[in-house]
Every structure is written in C-alpha cells, then in structure tokens.
Amino acid sequence: MRNAVRGALVAPCSLTGRDPPPTEPARHSCHRRRSNALRISTDFMTMLPPKPSRRGSALRGSLVRLIASSVTLAVPAAAMVALTATPAIAATRSGIVAIAERELADGQRNVERPAGSNCNYYTGVFRTWKESSGCGSGDGVQFRNSDWCADFSKYVWRAAGVTYADIPETSDGVLTGWASSFKDYGTTYGTWHTRAASGYTPLPGDAVVFDWDQSGDIDHVGIVTSANSSTITTIEGNSGNETRAKSYSRGDVDIVGYSAPVGITPEVPAEPEDATGEAVDFDGDGRPDLVGTLADGTLRAYLGTGSPGVPGVAGRGVDIGSGWTGITRISVADVDNDGRSDLVGRRSDGELYAFLNASSVGAVNVNNRVLIGTGWNVISRVNIADIDNDGKVDVIGRHNDGTLYTYLNKGVAGAPNIATKVTIGTGWNAITHVNIADLDNDGKVDVIGRHSDGTLYAYLNKGVAGAPNIATKVTIGTGWDRMSLISVADLDNDGKTDVTARASDGTLYAYLNKGTAGAPNIATKVLIGTGWNAINRFTVADLDNDGKTDVIGRHTDGSLYAYLNKGTPGAPNIATKVTIGTGWNAITRLAVAN
C-alpha cells in the first residue's frame, strides 16, 4: 500500500532505530509499525508531504490551516506562545550539541510513556492535534502518539535558536514531523550535503538523515554531535523507544546526507593557553626540554635528547616540583634577565610568582619562588614579548574589561621586577587568540590577534625603550574564526616566522611570511598536513638539533610525535613523523613560551 498523499512507500523507523523495519506503510517517515487505517480530521495533517521547497507551500499551508482551524482554540495560549516565539539566543554548534546532550540525559523526556507506545514528549510539544489516549506526561507536557525522530531533532534545533526551526509546520515551516523535512530544509536554504559530497565533513549540530533500505525515501533523522575522517556520532530521538547516542561509519550507505543549520554564530574552538607555544631549553645544554604538570600537581621535566634526524626527550621524565594544582596559568620568560628561561605562574588567589631557573646541565631546578605581582586573577590572558624593544622580554596581560597592559621587565639577576604597568590597548576582550611574531620582518616582534568575527590582525611593534606601542593595526586575514591551534614558526627555513593553523576538518596549513617593514603579509597558504583534528597540543622546538624548528604534536590517545622540519624557502615540509613518547595525556599543562 502506498500513502495516498505522499505517493511513495514510506519505510518507518525501526524499533532499534538502525535495522530496516517491516515494509508496512506509515503515515510518517519516522514512524514505526502502525495501523494502516487512514484517519480524517486533524490527523490528516500528518498525511501531507513535506514541501521540497517554498514553491507549493501556499497550497499545503492552506490545507493545514483549513484543517487546523477547528482545533486551534483547544491549544493553550502558553503553548501557542512557545510554538511561535522566535528564539532570542544566538545559535551555535556547541549549543545545539549541548541541548541534544541535555535531552538525552533528561529522564522525563528521553523515553516513551508507556514504553513502546510511541507516546512521547516532543510530539506533545509540536503537534498537539495528535492522539494522546493512553499516553503519559512529563515536564508539564501531555505526551502524544506519533513516531518522533523529526520532532526531537526539530526541538533541539529550535531550542538552540537555529533560524527557521521555530516556524510551526501549520505556518508553512519547512521542518515538520517528517524526517524528510530535514533534507527539505537543507535544499531550501542551501545547506544540504549528500553523504558522498566531495570535501564536506559533517559538523556538530548538523542533522543527518537516513534511508534504511535505500529506497529513496527518508526514514530517520538525528543530530550530529561529533565527526572525524571515519566516524560520526549522533543523538537521536525515536531510537528503540527512547533517545540514544549512536555512531556510524562516515561511509554507511544508510546515510543519505546532512543538512547544516542556518543562522549559526561562528565559534572559536576552545583551547587552553598552552595548546600552542615554543618549548625552551631549561637546563642549558642547548636542547629544548618539555616541562609540564600532572593532575596531582607534580611538575615534571622531560630533558631534550635529540640529535640531527633523531628527535627525543627523556622517557619517564624527572619530577621537579609539587603542589602545582594551585597554579592556574603557567608561562615561560626570562624575567630576571640572567639569560635563562624562568617559569611564571599565577595562583588562583591572583598572586603571580616567578620560579627562577637555577638549573644545571641534566638537572632542572625552578624551586626559587619570588612574588612578582598580586591581583592577577582579573588578567584573563598572558603573553610574553619584548614589546618596548629594550632587549628584555616583558609580560603582556589582558584585563577582564578588555584593557591590554604591558608589564615592563626591569629585573636583574635573581630579582625579577615587572611592576611598571603601561596600557597598550583597549577593547581586547573581542580578541580571542594571541600570538607573538615579527610579521613585517623589521626585527621587532609584533602581536597577532584574532577577533571574534574571524578577522586576523597584526599589531605592529613601534615601541621604544620604556614606551611600548602596538597601536598600528593591519588586517592580515579573514575567516580565522574556524581555525584552531594557531601557532608561529619558521617552517620553510627562510629566516621569517610563518603562521600555522588547523582548519575545522583537521587540515593543517602554513601561511608563509612575505612581509616587509610596515607591511605584514601571510597571504600565501600551503597545505602541510591532514588528520590533525586528533592533535590537541601543538608545540614548536628544534627537537633534533639540526637548526630547524620542528613541530611537536600530542595525539588524543597520549602519543607524542615530532614532525621534523624538512622545509626549504617557499616549501614547508613536516611530513616526517617520529614517535617520541606515549602516555602524554597524563600531562595536563605544558610550560611553553608564547
């Protein structure tokens, strides 16, 4: 039997939400096995096909309004407000996932009542004309009888503020109780991607639609929560009587494609401050070392052991301190101007300390702690750079109110001093990421700042001794709001510091430095790697002591890799990967210079 209105056999959602269901027609593309009896009255609305585009919506809308007119008076006013109010929040992909996860965990909503009845919360929210006899209730909503994968997905999108998800189907909204309406949404608004679409990686917050028997009809829909090169994970309603988290191969033939939500506010991927930076030599043997903290507060040093072509750090490391759980931020800088890199750490109470480097070859020692500031709990970002060009590295701190300060380095050996504070900018709370590099190749390090709108700026260093100045701002890129692991290093070995960044699909790029004095230029983009979405720390250092800066990447499985720099001018190359450690997911923070 074919649905008289839809004109095609509709395969309903299965009890498992995964296996092809019995070939019995249903009134809803997400439905499980139901009676074939066609109903009249308001239930006829579920027989209407999802409109493939805005064309034809007037006819469907007229039918819906004609049928619905007899029942709208029965809908509580509060419910009508809830169904028609435009979300005031800005939709983000992380917000969509957070709401899906919230619903997954909500015991009042995540199951049918009674089990196996199709009576569910989400249909009760959207389609109050559906049958409720024998259904339970929860969170103040009368559950109603219908298959509900589309209602769940629509609820998540609407609650997250996705554009057009708040338009009721009775008011010509594209999203309806049909799973296929999510494909219609994508084709209508230009966000549809087939599974085999070249170059598209599904993103968290996308809707994924399924055809269990490859019949050409959409059977099911869920919300993507994560994706990598091989797998997607989802949260789905109407999956075996409940809401479930699931996973699929990216190549699964049951996946038809993905619709991306409209109106998404770009997000900057959240990263710890030590996600990027440069490893330095602590023990004075000329080889860069790695120093980090463990979850229990232990400070551990891994001494560099590399030689040309053979990168390495000492296997187990050496514990050099304890009690570092109270230190909320760690930076590296020579704050007492003795030629050795010290640690700078901020405690949770706002006190700032210098841990002076008294190391000798093979023995890292940073036990000499000196208080160098108070009230630093209002400083939300710390960077290190010689910003007044006196040959001493200063501390740059961004206040919570957006003011940017330089704390000038007046220290002498054994006596660090950064008490002199100079305002060098305002409005920096809109800057979401900061790096330090000489981008115009005038011999002075500049400040690189990424704005929340994705614009990348170079703030050129015009400072003189005692008078830091980065007021000259130059736009050097756009669209950087989807880039992460932004770092700086000379990867093509031409003597100029380049910028590296990872795109959301895991692709790694080098932006080559072609700047001249007063005119920074990183427009030349070169692909240098793929699959980098599994790397969560990106540190640079000459780890094999051949005079070229290598990349150190920590994989999510705890493996530590060195990507050896084989670049030549204009042609960066870090393809040679060497494993230099395992178990590095036990390191919670790295002490790196940035």
Side-chain angles (χ1 to χ4, degrees), residues 179-261:
S180 59
S181 70
F182 278 81
K183 179 180 179 182
D184 297 337
Y185 179 98
T187 56
T188 298
Y189 300 117
T191 65
W192 171 250
H193 305 274
T194 63
R195 171 176 53 83
S198 176
Y200 185 71
T201 297
L203 297 173
D206 284 353
V208 53
V209 298
F210 300 87
D211 176 3
W212 297 139
D213 57 2
Q214 292 79 60
S215 65
D217 289 311
I218 304 301
D219 301 322
H220 189 63
V221 62
I223 300 297
V224 176
T225 56
S226 68
N228 57 35
S229 60
S230 61
T231 306
I232 66 166
T233 61
T234 64
I235 293 177
E236 305 164 18
N238 202 180
S239 181
N241 303 330
E242 61 187 12
T243 305
R244 288 182 176 177
K246 309 197 75 174
S247 65
Y248 304 87
S249 165
R250 285 271 302 276
D252 194 319
V253 296
D254 291 339
I255 297 175
V256 179
Y258 308 88
S259 281

Side-chain angles (χ1 to χ4, degrees), residues 167-185:
I167 303 175
E169 60 183 290
T170 53
S171 299
D172 292 346
V174 174
L175 294 180
T176 69
W178 293 88
S180 59
S181 70
F182 278 81
K183 179 180 179 182
D184 297 337
Y185 179 98

Side-chain angles (χ1 to χ4, degrees), residues 564-583:
L564 300 186
N565 185 343
K566 304 292 186 180
T568 57
N573 180 350
I574 57 167
T576 302
K577 182 173 76 169
V578 180
T579 302
I580 58 173
T582 57

Side-chain angles (χ1 to χ4, degrees), residues 115-167:
S117 66
N118 274 352
C119 295
N120 72 94
Y121 174 88
Y122 302 98
T123 300
V125 170
F126 289 116
R127 294 183 288 137
T128 54
W129 58 88
K130 298 295 291 184
E131 181 180 316
S132 63
S133 177
C135 295
S137 62
D139 278 356
V141 171
Q142 172 61 57
F143 284 24
R144 295 185 181 272
N145 190 329
S146 177
D147 291 309
W148 47 284
C149 60
D151 288 328
F152 171 81
S153 297
K154 180 178 178 179
Y155 182 93
V156 170
W157 269 16
R158 190 192 71 164
V162 171
T163 302
Y164 308 124
D166 62 321
I167 303 175

Side-chain angles (χ1 to χ4, degrees), residues 48 69 99 146 158 169 218 272 299 333 357 366 373 405 454:
L48 295 172
S69 61
I99 289 169
S146 177
R158 190 192 71 164
E169 60 183 290
I218 304 301
L299 187 68
N357 188 345
V366 289
Y405 297 104

Side-chain angles (χ1 to χ4, degrees), residues 258-314:
Y258 308 88
S259 281
V262 175
I264 291 297
T265 299
E267 296 176 89
V268 176
E271 292 179 356
E273 284 193 346
D274 65 335
T276 62
E278 182 179 1
V280 302
D281 175 18
F282 280 96
D283 71 343
D285 66 351
R287 299 184 179 100
D289 309 307
L290 296 178
V291 172
T293 60
L294 279 65
D296 64 2
T298 300
L299 187 68
R300 184 170 292 175
Y302 297 81
L303 299 182
T305 61
S307 58
V310 186
V313 292

